[in-house]
Amino acid sequence: ICDFLCIKNTRGLRSQLKDSVPVTGLGTQIGAYGVQDTLRSGFSSVKNELLPSHALELSEKNFQLNQDKMNFSTLRNIQGLHAPLKLQMEYRAARQIQRLPFLQSSHLALDTLKGNDESISFEDILNDPAQSEMMGEPHIMVEYKLGLM
Amino acid sequence: MATLSVCQQPIGGFSFEYCKRNAVLEFECNKLGHSIPAARKTGTTICGVVFKDGIVLGADTRATEGMIVADKNCSKIHYISPNIYCCGAGTAADTEMTTQIISSNLELHSLSTGRLPRVATANRMLKQMLFRYQGHIGAALVLGGVDCNGPHLYSIYPHGSTDKLPYVTMGSGSLAAMAVFEDRYEQNMEEEDAKRLVRDAIAAGIFNDLGSGSNIDLCVITKGKVDYLRPHDMANKKGVRRVHELEALPRP
Protein backbone atom coordinates (compact mmCIF):
# COMPACT_ATOMS: atom_id res chain seq x y z
CA ILE A 1 0.00 0.00 0.00
CA CYS A 2 2.86 2.33 0.79
CA ASP A 3 3.96 2.70 -2.79
CA PHE A 4 0.39 3.44 -3.86
CA LEU A 5 -0.32 6.14 -1.39
CA CYS A 6 2.84 7.84 -0.19
CA ILE A 7 1.19 11.25 -0.50
CA LYS A 8 -0.28 12.62 2.68
CA ASN A 9 -1.95 15.96 3.12
CA THR A 10 -1.67 17.12 -0.49
CA ARG A 11 -3.17 20.31 -1.79
CA GLY A 12 -3.62 19.13 -5.37
CA LEU A 13 -4.00 21.12 -8.54
CA ARG A 14 -6.86 23.48 -9.28
CA SER A 15 -8.27 20.99 -11.72
CA GLN A 16 -8.69 18.46 -8.95
CA LEU A 17 -10.55 20.78 -6.64
CA LYS A 18 -13.74 19.86 -8.44
CA ASP A 19 -13.51 16.50 -6.71
CA SER A 20 -13.62 17.91 -3.21
CA VAL A 21 -16.78 17.79 -1.13
CA PRO A 22 -18.90 20.88 -1.85
CA VAL A 23 -19.55 23.27 1.00
CA THR A 24 -23.23 22.53 1.56
CA GLY A 25 -23.80 24.26 4.84
CA LEU A 26 -24.31 23.05 8.33
CA GLY A 27 -26.82 20.48 7.33
CA THR A 28 -30.30 20.06 8.70
CA GLN A 29 -31.44 16.54 9.18
CA ILE A 30 -34.14 16.37 6.57
CA GLY A 31 -36.78 13.96 7.78
CA ALA A 32 -40.05 12.98 6.21
CA TYR A 33 -41.98 15.53 4.08
CA GLY A 34 -38.87 17.65 3.52
CA VAL A 35 -38.87 19.48 6.87
CA GLN A 36 -36.52 19.08 9.75
CA ASP A 37 -36.99 16.05 11.96
CA THR A 38 -37.58 17.74 15.32
CA LEU A 39 -37.78 14.52 17.27
CA ARG A 40 -34.27 13.43 16.36
CA SER A 41 -32.32 16.63 15.85
CA GLY A 42 -33.99 19.16 18.07
CA PHE A 43 -35.45 22.56 17.30
CA SER A 44 -34.19 24.36 14.24
CA SER A 45 -32.90 27.89 14.17
CA VAL A 46 -32.04 29.84 11.05
CA LYS A 47 -28.99 31.45 12.61
CA ASN A 48 -27.51 28.08 13.51
CA GLU A 49 -27.84 26.74 10.02
CA LEU A 50 -26.85 29.67 7.85
CA LEU A 51 -23.64 30.75 9.53
CA PRO A 52 -20.91 28.54 10.93
CA SER A 53 -20.09 29.22 14.56
CA HIS A 54 -16.39 29.20 13.78
CA ALA A 55 -14.41 29.85 10.61
CA LEU A 56 -12.90 26.39 10.69
CA GLU A 57 -16.09 24.45 11.33
CA LEU A 58 -16.92 23.65 7.73
CA SER A 59 -13.39 22.97 6.59
CA GLU A 60 -12.73 20.67 9.54
CA LYS A 61 -15.97 18.74 9.07
CA ASN A 62 -14.96 17.77 5.55
CA PHE A 63 -11.20 17.73 5.93
CA GLN A 64 -10.65 13.97 5.87
CA LEU A 65 -13.07 13.48 3.00
CA ASN A 66 -11.40 16.20 0.97
CA GLN A 67 -7.96 14.78 1.57
CA ASP A 68 -9.08 11.33 0.49
CA LYS A 69 -10.74 12.63 -2.66
CA MET A 70 -7.69 14.68 -3.55
CA ASN A 71 -5.38 11.73 -3.03
CA PHE A 72 -7.55 9.38 -5.08
CA SER A 73 -7.83 11.89 -7.87
CA THR A 74 -4.04 12.37 -8.01
CA LEU A 75 -3.53 8.63 -7.88
CA ARG A 76 -5.95 8.15 -10.73
CA ASN A 77 -4.06 10.67 -12.84
CA ILE A 78 -0.69 9.10 -12.12
CA GLN A 79 -1.40 5.38 -12.08
CA GLY A 80 -4.69 4.89 -13.83
CA LEU A 81 -8.19 4.04 -12.69
CA HIS A 82 -7.33 0.71 -11.12
CA ALA A 83 -5.28 2.19 -8.27
CA PRO A 84 -8.02 4.21 -6.50
CA LEU A 85 -10.56 1.49 -7.25
CA LYS A 86 -8.49 -1.18 -5.52
CA LEU A 87 -7.81 1.08 -2.56
CA GLN A 88 -11.45 2.06 -2.14
CA MET A 89 -12.44 -1.59 -2.26
CA GLU A 90 -10.01 -2.33 0.53
CA TYR A 91 -11.23 0.63 2.58
CA ARG A 92 -14.80 -0.53 2.19
CA ALA A 93 -13.90 -4.00 3.36
CA ALA A 94 -11.90 -2.71 6.33
CA ARG A 95 -14.66 -0.31 7.35
CA GLN A 96 -17.00 -3.21 7.91
CA ILE A 97 -14.82 -4.62 10.66
CA GLN A 98 -16.41 -2.93 13.64
CA ARG A 99 -18.63 -3.49 16.64
CA LEU A 100 -22.24 -2.34 16.96
CA PRO A 101 -22.53 1.42 16.40
CA PHE A 102 -22.98 2.50 20.01
CA LEU A 103 -19.85 0.64 21.16
CA GLN A 104 -16.30 1.81 20.64
CA SER A 105 -14.48 -0.08 17.89
CA SER A 106 -10.78 0.27 17.31
CA HIS A 107 -10.87 0.56 13.48
CA LEU A 108 -7.44 -1.05 13.47
CA ALA A 109 -7.53 -2.35 9.90
CA LEU A 110 -8.86 0.92 8.51
CA ASP A 111 -6.26 2.94 10.40
CA THR A 112 -3.44 0.75 9.16
CA LEU A 113 -4.63 1.08 5.57
CA LYS A 114 -4.92 4.84 5.79
CA GLY A 115 -1.60 5.23 7.57
CA ASN A 116 -3.17 6.72 10.68
CA ASP A 117 -1.35 4.22 12.87
CA GLU A 118 1.87 6.15 12.26
CA SER A 119 0.67 9.61 13.10
CA ILE A 120 -0.87 11.47 16.03
CA SER A 121 -3.07 14.50 15.55
CA PHE A 122 -5.72 16.42 17.44
CA GLU A 123 -8.30 13.73 16.67
CA ASP A 124 -6.42 11.36 18.95
CA ILE A 125 -5.90 13.80 21.79
CA LEU A 126 -8.98 16.01 22.02
CA ASN A 127 -12.53 14.71 22.43
CA ASP A 128 -11.59 11.06 22.47
CA PRO A 129 -14.87 9.29 21.63
CA ALA A 130 -13.96 6.44 23.98
CA GLN A 131 -14.15 8.88 26.88
CA SER A 132 -17.17 10.97 25.96
CA GLU A 133 -19.70 11.51 28.74
CA MET A 134 -22.67 10.88 26.50
CA MET A 135 -23.70 7.51 25.25
CA GLY A 136 -25.69 6.95 22.11
CA GLU A 137 -29.11 5.38 22.47
CA PRO A 138 -28.39 1.79 21.38
CA HIS A 139 -31.73 0.97 19.72
CA ILE A 140 -31.90 4.15 17.69
CA MET A 141 -28.29 3.93 16.55
CA VAL A 142 -28.65 0.37 15.38
CA GLU A 143 -31.92 1.17 13.62
CA TYR A 144 -30.26 4.10 11.89
CA LYS A 145 -27.36 1.97 10.80
CA LEU A 146 -29.60 -0.79 9.44
CA GLY A 147 -31.70 1.75 7.60
CA LEU A 148 -34.89 0.91 9.47
CA MET A 149 -35.39 4.54 10.54
CA MET B 1 -25.88 8.29 32.58
CA ALA B 2 -27.50 10.56 30.06
CA THR B 3 -28.24 9.09 26.67
CA LEU B 4 -28.33 11.23 23.63
CA SER B 5 -30.51 10.48 20.68
CA VAL B 6 -27.74 10.84 18.15
CA CYS B 7 -27.48 8.74 15.03
CA GLN B 8 -23.83 9.00 14.17
CA GLN B 9 -20.88 8.03 16.27
CA PRO B 10 -18.92 10.86 17.88
CA ILE B 11 -15.60 11.76 16.27
CA GLY B 12 -12.53 13.16 17.96
CA GLY B 13 -10.71 16.42 17.37
CA PHE B 14 -11.82 20.02 17.81
CA SER B 15 -15.43 20.58 18.78
CA PHE B 16 -17.11 23.86 17.84
CA GLU B 17 -20.21 23.32 19.97
CA TYR B 18 -19.61 26.14 22.38
CA CYS B 19 -18.38 28.81 19.97
CA LYS B 20 -21.73 30.55 19.71
CA ARG B 21 -22.29 30.34 23.46
CA ASN B 22 -18.82 31.82 24.06
CA ALA B 23 -19.50 34.65 21.64
CA VAL B 24 -22.73 35.49 23.48
CA LEU B 25 -20.99 35.32 26.87
CA GLU B 26 -18.22 37.60 25.66
CA PHE B 27 -20.74 40.11 24.36
CA GLU B 28 -22.61 40.11 27.68
CA CYS B 29 -19.35 40.46 29.57
CA ASN B 30 -18.23 43.40 27.46
CA LYS B 31 -21.61 45.05 27.94
CA LEU B 32 -21.03 44.97 31.68
CA GLY B 33 -17.63 46.53 31.22
CA HIS B 34 -15.38 43.56 32.03
CA SER B 35 -13.23 41.66 29.60
CA ILE B 36 -12.77 37.92 29.35
CA PRO B 37 -9.45 36.54 30.63
CA ALA B 38 -6.68 36.59 28.04
CA ALA B 39 -4.84 33.47 26.97
CA ARG B 40 -1.33 33.15 28.28
CA LYS B 41 1.10 34.27 25.60
CA THR B 42 4.81 33.97 25.55
CA GLY B 43 5.35 37.57 24.23
CA THR B 44 8.84 36.63 23.47
CA THR B 45 12.19 37.03 21.93
CA ILE B 46 13.40 33.87 20.22
CA CYS B 47 16.17 33.57 17.68
CA GLY B 48 18.49 31.14 16.00
CA VAL B 49 21.74 31.28 14.08
CA VAL B 50 23.70 28.83 11.93
CA PHE B 51 27.40 28.65 12.74
CA LYS B 52 30.26 26.58 11.41
CA ASP B 53 29.40 23.22 13.00
CA GLY B 54 25.71 23.57 13.81
CA ILE B 55 22.94 25.71 15.25
CA VAL B 56 22.55 27.97 18.27
CA LEU B 57 18.96 28.62 19.44
CA GLY B 58 18.17 31.25 22.05
CA ALA B 59 15.07 32.35 23.97
CA ASP B 60 14.06 34.54 26.91
CA THR B 61 12.00 33.06 29.75
CA ARG B 62 9.01 35.32 30.44
CA ALA B 63 5.38 34.28 29.89
CA THR B 64 2.73 37.02 30.04
CA GLU B 65 -1.02 36.99 30.60
CA GLY B 66 -2.21 40.35 29.34
CA MET B 67 -0.25 42.87 31.40
CA ILE B 68 0.90 40.43 34.10
CA VAL B 69 3.95 38.21 34.09
CA ALA B 70 2.51 34.72 34.44
CA ASP B 71 5.76 32.77 34.57
CA LYS B 72 9.17 34.26 35.33
CA ASN B 73 11.11 31.23 34.20
CA CYS B 74 9.29 29.26 31.54
CA SER B 75 11.09 27.07 29.07
CA LYS B 76 10.57 28.07 25.45
CA ILE B 77 13.03 25.75 23.75
CA HIS B 78 11.13 22.52 23.14
CA TYR B 79 12.49 19.10 22.31
CA ILE B 80 11.46 17.71 18.94
CA SER B 81 13.97 14.92 18.42
CA PRO B 82 17.50 14.19 19.66
CA ASN B 83 18.98 16.37 16.92
CA ILE B 84 16.18 18.93 16.47
CA TYR B 85 14.92 21.60 18.87
CA CYS B 86 12.26 24.26 18.41
CA CYS B 87 11.67 27.64 20.07
CA GLY B 88 8.07 28.78 20.33
CA ALA B 89 6.45 32.24 20.45
CA GLY B 90 2.76 33.14 20.55
CA THR B 91 0.08 31.45 22.63
CA ALA B 92 1.91 29.26 25.14
CA ALA B 93 -0.50 26.31 25.02
CA ASP B 94 -0.48 26.27 21.22
CA THR B 95 3.31 26.15 20.96
CA GLU B 96 3.52 23.49 23.68
CA MET B 97 0.93 21.15 22.15
CA THR B 98 2.07 21.68 18.57
CA THR B 99 5.68 20.88 19.35
CA GLN B 100 4.68 17.83 21.37
CA ILE B 101 2.46 16.49 18.59
CA ILE B 102 5.15 17.02 15.98
CA SER B 103 7.74 15.43 18.26
CA SER B 104 5.56 12.31 18.61
CA ASN B 105 4.94 12.18 14.89
CA LEU B 106 8.63 12.51 14.13
CA GLU B 107 9.45 9.73 16.56
CA LEU B 108 6.93 7.41 14.89
CA HIS B 109 8.25 8.42 11.48
CA SER B 110 11.86 7.78 12.42
CA LEU B 111 10.96 4.39 13.87
CA SER B 112 9.24 3.58 10.62
CA THR B 113 12.13 4.71 8.38
CA GLY B 114 14.88 3.57 10.74
CA ARG B 115 16.84 6.81 10.31
CA LEU B 116 17.55 9.97 12.23
CA PRO B 117 14.79 12.47 11.37
CA ARG B 118 15.55 15.45 9.15
CA VAL B 119 14.78 19.06 9.94
CA ALA B 120 12.94 19.44 6.63
CA THR B 121 10.52 16.70 7.71
CA ALA B 122 9.69 18.51 10.94
CA ASN B 123 9.30 21.75 8.99
CA ARG B 124 6.91 20.17 6.50
CA MET B 125 4.80 18.57 9.23
CA LEU B 126 4.54 21.83 11.18
CA LYS B 127 3.70 23.91 8.14
CA GLN B 128 0.95 21.55 6.98
CA MET B 129 -0.66 21.43 10.40
CA LEU B 130 -0.58 25.20 10.89
CA PHE B 131 -1.99 25.86 7.43
CA ARG B 132 -4.78 23.39 8.01
CA TYR B 133 -5.97 25.51 10.96
CA GLN B 134 -5.60 28.79 9.03
CA GLY B 135 -3.67 30.66 11.70
CA HIS B 136 -6.12 30.00 14.55
CA ILE B 137 -3.33 28.05 16.24
CA GLY B 138 -1.11 30.96 17.31
CA ALA B 139 2.31 29.36 17.21
CA ALA B 140 5.31 31.14 15.69
CA LEU B 141 8.30 28.82 15.78
CA VAL B 142 12.02 28.80 15.17
CA LEU B 143 13.04 25.27 14.23
CA GLY B 144 16.68 24.25 14.12
CA GLY B 145 18.69 21.07 14.00
CA VAL B 146 21.57 19.13 12.50
CA ASP B 147 20.88 16.12 10.32
CA CYS B 148 22.70 14.10 7.68
CA ASN B 149 22.71 17.09 5.32
CA GLY B 150 24.17 19.57 7.78
CA PRO B 151 22.68 22.29 9.99
CA HIS B 152 19.30 23.79 9.04
CA LEU B 153 17.29 26.66 10.50
CA TYR B 154 13.66 27.46 9.69
CA SER B 155 11.20 30.06 10.90
CA ILE B 156 7.53 29.06 10.81
CA TYR B 157 4.68 31.60 11.03
CA PRO B 158 1.24 30.89 12.53
CA HIS B 159 -0.51 30.78 9.16
CA GLY B 160 1.87 28.16 7.82
CA SER B 161 4.52 29.98 5.80
CA THR B 162 8.15 29.06 6.41
CA ASP B 163 11.54 30.55 5.67
CA LYS B 164 14.87 28.80 5.53
CA LEU B 165 17.55 31.29 6.56
CA PRO B 166 20.94 31.50 8.24
CA TYR B 167 19.62 33.66 11.09
CA VAL B 168 16.01 34.21 12.24
CA THR B 169 14.18 35.97 15.04
CA MET B 170 10.51 35.74 16.11
CA GLY B 171 8.25 37.15 18.78
CA SER B 172 7.50 40.62 20.06
CA GLY B 173 11.19 41.34 20.64
CA SER B 174 12.20 40.11 17.20
CA LEU B 175 13.02 43.56 15.85
CA ALA B 176 15.50 44.28 18.65
CA ALA B 177 17.14 40.88 18.21
CA MET B 178 17.23 41.21 14.42
CA ALA B 179 19.00 44.56 14.74
CA VAL B 180 21.82 42.84 16.65
CA PHE B 181 21.98 40.03 14.09
CA GLU B 182 22.05 42.36 11.11
CA ASP B 183 24.94 44.24 12.67
CA ARG B 184 27.17 41.37 13.72
CA TYR B 185 26.29 38.19 11.83
CA GLU B 186 28.98 36.59 9.67
CA GLN B 187 29.13 33.24 7.96
CA ASN B 188 31.01 30.30 9.48
CA MET B 189 31.33 31.72 13.00
CA GLU B 190 32.95 29.77 15.80
CA GLU B 191 30.78 28.31 18.55
CA GLU B 192 31.75 30.88 21.22
CA ASP B 193 31.12 33.80 18.87
CA ALA B 194 27.76 32.39 17.88
CA LYS B 195 26.75 31.90 21.51
CA ARG B 196 27.79 35.44 22.36
CA LEU B 197 25.85 36.82 19.37
CA VAL B 198 22.66 34.97 20.31
CA ARG B 199 23.02 36.00 23.95
CA ASP B 200 23.35 39.64 22.94
CA ALA B 201 20.39 39.42 20.59
CA ILE B 202 18.13 37.97 23.28
CA ALA B 203 19.41 40.53 25.78
CA ALA B 204 18.46 43.30 23.32
CA GLY B 205 14.95 41.83 23.16
CA ILE B 206 14.74 41.49 26.96
CA PHE B 207 15.78 45.04 27.74
CA ASN B 208 13.88 46.79 24.96
CA ASP B 209 10.60 44.87 24.84
CA LEU B 210 8.07 44.61 27.63
CA GLY B 211 6.87 41.20 26.55
CA SER B 212 10.30 39.58 27.05
CA GLY B 213 12.31 39.33 30.22
CA SER B 214 14.06 37.28 32.91
CA ASN B 215 16.81 34.89 31.85
CA ILE B 216 18.39 33.79 28.59
CA ASP B 217 18.27 30.13 27.58
CA LEU B 218 20.55 28.75 24.90
CA CYS B 219 20.61 25.49 23.02
CA VAL B 220 23.68 24.54 20.97
CA ILE B 221 23.12 21.69 18.51
CA THR B 222 26.04 20.10 16.70
CA LYS B 223 26.43 16.77 14.98
CA GLY B 224 25.97 14.18 17.68
CA LYS B 225 25.81 16.59 20.63
CA VAL B 226 23.24 18.94 22.16
CA ASP B 227 24.03 21.47 24.91
CA TYR B 228 20.87 22.71 26.59
CA LEU B 229 22.06 25.68 28.67
CA ARG B 230 19.25 26.69 30.98
CA PRO B 231 19.87 29.28 32.25
CA HIS B 232 22.78 30.47 30.24
CA ASP B 233 22.66 34.00 31.58
CA MET B 234 20.58 35.38 34.43
CA ALA B 235 20.24 38.88 33.05
CA ASN B 236 17.50 39.91 35.51
CA LYS B 237 18.39 38.57 38.92
CA LYS B 238 15.90 39.39 41.66
CA GLY B 239 17.30 41.54 44.43
CA VAL B 240 18.18 40.14 47.87
CA ARG B 241 16.62 41.64 51.02
CA ARG B 242 19.22 43.44 53.11
CA VAL B 243 17.41 43.55 56.47
CA HIS B 244 16.12 40.50 58.29
CA GLU B 245 12.33 40.81 58.46
CA LEU B 246 11.88 40.33 62.24
CA GLU B 247 14.40 43.01 63.09
CA ALA B 248 12.64 45.51 60.82
CA LEU B 249 9.31 45.23 62.66
CA PRO B 250 8.67 48.03 65.19
CA ARG B 251 8.81 46.78 68.75
CA PRO B 252 5.44 46.91 70.54
Side-chain angles (χ1 to χ4, degrees), chain B residues 3-183:
Chain B
T3 59
L4 196 58
S5 181
V6 67
C7 300
Q8 265 106 21
Q9 288 177 310
I11 47 174
F14 288 111
S15 150
F16 299 104
E17 284 170 358
Y18 294 130
C19 285
K20 286 213 163 77
R21 179 205 73 162
N22 291 345
V24 169
L25 282 178
E26 188 179 348
F27 179 69
E28 295 294 318
C29 217
N30 287 339
K31 222 161 53 164
L32 292 174
H34 310 294
S35 59
I36 55 172
R40 179 187 297 195
K41 302 181 78 80
T42 54
T44 304
T45 310
I46 50 177
C47 66
V49 86
V50 177
F51 71 98
K52 197 170 73 169
D53 304 318
I55 304 267
V56 179
L57 296 172
D60 71 308
T61 58
R62 173 183 289 182
T64 54
E65 218 168 76
M67 285 287 121
I68 301 176
V69 174
D71 191 348
K72 291 187 279 274
N73 199 0
C74 78
S75 152
K76 298 184 190 178
I77 307 187
H78 307 284
Y79 166 89
I80 302 264
S81 83
N83 58 328
I84 304 176
Y85 278 73
C86 181
C87 311
T91 311
D94 289 346
T95 59
E96 188 71 37
M97 291 310 305
T98 307
T99 48
Q100 283 178 351
I101 287 179
I102 297 301
S103 167
S104 306
N105 276 331
L106 257 194
E107 177 69 22
L108 287 171
H109 184 83
S110 98
L111 284 170
S112 164
T113 57
R115 300 185 170 117
L116 204 58
R118 298 193 190 188
V119 191
T121 315
N123 177 50
R124 182 61 61 137
M125 287 180 177
L126 279 165
K127 140 209 287 246
Q128 284 177 348
M129 171 191 280
L130 291 175
F131 184 69
R132 172 178 170 179
Y133 295 107
Q134 294 289 302
H136 287 277
I137 293 191
L141 308 165
V142 167
L143 175 75
V146 178
D147 58 21
C148 55
N149 288 340
H152 302 277
L153 186 64
Y154 293 89
S155 70
I156 303 162
Y157 292 83
H159 283 264
S161 61
T162 61
D163 291 313
K164 183 175 192 316
L165 294 166
Y167 55 95
V168 293
T169 64
M170 296 285 254
S172 55
S174 62
L175 292 174
M178 186 52 92
V180 174
F181 274 166
E182 289 286 0
D183 190 31

Side-chain angles (χ1 to χ4, degrees), chain A residues 8-9 11 40 47-48 51-57 60 63 98 101 103 118-120 122-123 125-127 129 133-137 140-141 144 149, chain B residues 1-17 19-20 24 97-98 101 104-105 108-109 112 128-129 131-134 136-137:
Chain A
K8 223 167 149 54
N9 204 343
R11 290 293 298 163
R40 293 197 186 94
K47 204 164 64 162
N48 279 344
L51 297 171
S53 45
H54 192 271
L56 288 177
E57 187 173 353
E60 279 298 300
F63 183 75
Q98 55 172 292
L103 295 172
E118 287 182 346
S119 73
I120 296 180
F122 288 114
E123 280 81 30
I125 301 173
L126 300 174
N127 264 340
E133 304 109 11
M134 306 284 200
M135 189 178 102
E137 167 78 41
I140 297 193
M141 290 184 88
Y144 182 78
M149 282 231 297
Chain B
M1 177 159 54
T3 59
L4 196 58
S5 181
V6 67
C7 300
Q8 265 106 21
Q9 288 177 310
I11 47 174
F14 288 111
S15 150
F16 299 104
E17 284 170 358
C19 285
K20 286 213 163 77
V24 169
M97 291 310 305
T98 307
I101 287 179
S104 306
N105 276 331
L108 287 171
H109 184 83
S112 164
Q128 284 177 348
M129 171 191 280
F131 184 69
R132 172 178 170 179
Y133 295 107
Q134 294 289 302
H136 287 277
I137 293 191

